Amino acid sequence: SEETRPNGFTFNNDGTKMFVIGHNGDDVNEYKLTIGFDISTATFVDSFDTESEDNDSRDVKFNQNGTKMFVLGKQNDRVCEYTLSTGFDVSSTVTFIDCFSAPQEAKPEELEFNPNGTKMFIMGESGDDVNEYTLSTGFDVSTASFVDSFSLAATEESTPSSLEFSSDGSKLFVLGPSGNKVYEYT
């Protein structure tokens, strides 16, 4: 009930916290789960407003220990980085650091990182592709540079909405509403 148009969500490592972001509230909503990854046990904890950086938030991700938070914004086509004084706690001191502009995608929808944060992936509905960036310093968006993109439009999905990688990064999964399917790539 804290967000009427949710767009993205993620969990902490053990699933005892869930974070939901949307473009109506433009904030990161934190929920506590008494049983890991069981959303029926979720209760609202607090929220952090991201509207000053972008008022059309689409996705949220964290680094491994939750001391860095990344918000993907559709209005300004960028990824904004924040630090948290306590990992995975938006009620702790949250400090804005920097934003990375991603001109390769005019309507970004989804954000992913590899486990050590040296690769970042942005997907959206405008380019219908997955854009890859390298970060010379893991989880530091100021060190990001564009590498390449993988088009989905000509093959399976013209309006991709979500992506996920296998834990070792060897498989890519893309969710697409136009085909009502999850597509798998090696």
Side-chain angles (χ1 to χ4, degrees):
S1 62
E2 287 71 33
E3 175 59 58
T4 58
R5 289 190 67 193
N7 286 40
F9 72 100
T10 193
F11 292 90
N12 68 346
N13 300 327
D14 64 4
T16 56
K17 288 195 175 186
M18 178 176 67
F19 302 87
V20 177
I21 194 164
H23 66 273
N24 272 357
D26 296 312
D27 52 11
V28 178
N29 297 290
E30 177 185 330
Y31 299 86
K32 178 182 176 184
L33 285 71
T34 53
I35 300 171
F37 297 106
D38 182 348
I39 60 172
S40 70
T41 67
T43 57
F44 177 70
V45 175
D46 205 349
S47 63
F48 176 75
D49 187 0
T50 61
E51 189 172 18
S52 58
E53 282 72 54
D54 198 299
N55 67 4
D56 195 356
S57 302
R58 292 301 170 140
D59 204 3
V60 59
K61 297 293 185 247
F62 291 87
N63 66 347
Q64 292 291 355
N65 65 7
T67 57
K68 285 196 172 189
M69 178 174 71
F70 303 89
V71 174
L72 178 65
K74 188 173 183 175
Q75 180 188 31
N76 296 318
D77 309 326
R78 59 190 191 167
V79 178
C80 295
E81 176 183 337
Y82 305 83
T83 59
L84 287 74
S85 60
T86 303
F88 296 110
D89 184 354
V90 299
S91 63
S92 69
T93 304
V94 180
T95 306
F96 168 72
I97 301 297
D98 198 3
C99 289
F100 170 74
S101 179
Q104 290 77 21
E105 178 54 60
K107 295 180 179 180
E109 293 288 336
E110 182 79 12
L111 172 68
E112 283 295 332
F113 288 92
N114 70 344
N116 66 6
T118 57
K119 295 271 186 184
M120 177 173 69
F121 303 90
I122 297 174
M123 185 181 70
E125 63 184 62
S126 177
D128 302 329
D129 55 11
V130 178
N131 297 287
E132 177 185 345
Y133 304 85
T134 58
L135 287 74
S136 56
T137 302
F139 294 108
D140 181 350
V141 298
S142 70
T143 68
S145 59
F146 177 69
V147 175
D148 203 355
S149 62
F150 172 67
S151 177
L152 303 165
T155 55
E156 291 82 21
E157 183 56 51
S158 61
T159 57
S161 61
S162 187
L163 75 131
E164 190 70 39
F165 285 91
S166 61
S167 58
D168 66 357
S170 65
K171 293 200 177 220
L172 165 66
F173 302 91
V174 175
L175 178 66
S178 67
N180 294 325
K181 296 179 181 177
V182 175
Y183 300 94
E184 175 183 340
Y185 303 88
T186 303

